Amino acid sequence: MAELESSSTSSSSGSTFFNRSFTMHANSAEPDAPKVHLLLNNPSSLNRAASISKIYNSIDSVKGKVKKLCNLFESAKSSSTSTELSPKVVLRPAKSIGYSSSFSSSFNNPLIRLPGTEDRIVVYLTSLRGIRRTYEDCYAVRMIFRGFRVWVDERDVSMDSAYKKELQSVLRKKNPSLPQVFIKGKYVGGADVIKSMFEVGELAKILEDFPRIQQPGLVCDCCGDIRFVPCGNCSGSRKVFDEDEGLLKRCLECNENGLIRCPNCCS
């Protein structure tokens, strides 16, 4: 009897153990089915997957378009390089020939002469910076002649209106451009002609007969390379007192600005 009871108790405990494990596995396996149901029946998750697939498809289409554009540009570039390399290079004569002919015609023109300047170089220029291009041209011509170490008679039309009237009468123009150069009394031209002659070497040949300055780059102590100083008679006021008549009169030694040519570097 005791053995039967012990066997029955052991069988009952084993059955309860198996039943408990079964129920545990069953309970653990049962909630998966509703989750699958929820995933299948949830429209938001399906829409999200569809939108992700659309994004990937649009990216692929954009990549394809970019590749097509790159191919088009590469083909156009290759065709342009081939057309650029195909023509032959033709050598043309330098522009100095044209400048030299224009210079010779203007230099030997007997109609344009500046009397009284057969022994010097005369440059009509301006020291004002109102028009930038004009000032730069005047400065470039000054530096070219200073590089040759020759003395130049610089006539600043902005400091003395008499020089402007003189240039107008010589060139027979109302508003001549600046600078204008005369060598040995003969008209040469403006900044473009002087620059081209300097580059070709014609200007150096013409200036061989002129004496060289012993101290190049030396600034005048009297005027500071302005070429004008205040009048010593009227001190720049343009008026002097006449003791005989007891009146103020216009000074006859200076220009309209009360200036005279520098006696140190322009004599």
Side-chain angles (χ1 to χ4, degrees):
M1 291 295 288
E3 290 177 358
L4 290 172
E5 289 177 358
S6 62
S7 63
S8 63
T9 54
S10 63
S11 63
S12 63
S13 63
S15 63
T16 55
F17 176 76
F18 285 116
N19 289 332
R20 186 179 297 170
S21 64
F22 179 75
T23 54
M24 288 175 66
H25 285 290
N27 291 332
S28 62
E30 284 175 1
D32 291 337
K35 285 182 181 179
V36 173
H37 264 312
L38 289 172
L39 289 172
L40 293 174
N41 296 326
N42 192 1
S44 63
S45 62
L46 294 175
N47 292 332
R48 188 179 300 168
S51 62
I52 291 170
S53 63
K54 287 180 180 180
I55 289 170
Y56 279 112
N57 292 331
S58 63
I59 290 171
D60 293 334
S61 64
V62 169
K63 287 182 178 179
K65 291 179 180 178
V66 170
K67 287 181 179 179
K68 289 180 180 179
L69 290 173
C70 291
N71 293 330
L72 287 174
F73 280 115
E74 287 177 357
S75 61
K77 188 176 180 181
S78 61
S79 62
S80 64
T81 53
S82 62
T83 54
E84 286 177 359
L85 294 174
S86 59
K88 296 180 180 180
V89 179
V90 179
L91 297 177
R92 295 181 179 180
K95 291 183 178 180
S96 60
I97 297 174
Y99 280 118
S100 62
S101 61
S102 64
F103 162 71
S104 61
S105 61
S106 63
F107 191 73
N108 296 320
N109 190 359
L111 298 177
I112 304 177
R113 298 278 179 166
L114 188 62
T117 60
E118 289 77 10
D119 59 341
R120 66 185 68 184
I121 303 166
V122 180
V123 179
Y124 290 90
L125 49 84
T126 179
S127 59
L128 297 180
R129 305 190 183 189
I131 301 175
R132 183 176 180 180
R133 176 66 182 275
T134 303
Y135 174 78
E136 289 178 351
D137 289 341
C138 294
Y139 182 79
V141 170
R142 288 182 69 185
M143 292 300 105
I144 288 173
F145 282 111
R146 287 191 181 186
F148 287 104
R149 298 169 54 190
V150 292
W151 181 78
V152 179
D153 186 2
E154 298 177 359
R155 301 185 178 183
D156 194 343
V157 299
S158 61
M159 303 291 281
D160 195 344
S161 61
Y163 290 144
K164 184 177 181 181
K165 294 177 182 178
E166 184 180 48
L167 182 62
Q168 289 174 348
S169 64
V170 170
L171 296 180
R172 298 178 183 179
K173 292 182 180 179
K174 187 177 181 180
N175 294 313
S177 60
L178 296 175
Q180 296 294 337
V181 181
F182 292 82
I183 299 177
K184 295 181 179 180
K186 300 177 183 179
Y187 176 65
V188 179
D192 295 335
V193 176
I194 297 299
K195 290 177 182 178
S196 62
M197 290 172 59
F198 173 68
E199 292 174 357
V200 173
E202 294 178 359
L203 188 61
K205 295 178 182 179
I206 296 172
L207 300 180
E208 288 178 353
D209 299 335
F210 288 92
R212 297 296 188 263
I213 300 174
Q214 298 299 325
Q215 296 179 350
L218 182 64
V219 179
C220 179
D221 297 331
C222 186
C223 66
D225 283 349
I226 300 175
R227 306 293 185 252
F228 286 91
V229 293
C231 178
N233 189 27
C234 64
S235 300
S237 64
R238 299 183 300 163
K239 294 179 181 180
V240 292
F241 182 74
D242 190 354
E243 295 179 355
D244 296 334
E245 298 182 4
L247 297 174
L248 289 174
K249 290 186 177 181
R250 172 74 167 84
C251 179
L252 300 177
E253 296 183 6
C254 58
N255 59 13
E256 72 277 6
N257 295 318
L259 302 173
I260 61 172
R261 294 278 283 178
C262 178
N264 188 18
C265 61
C266 296
S267 57

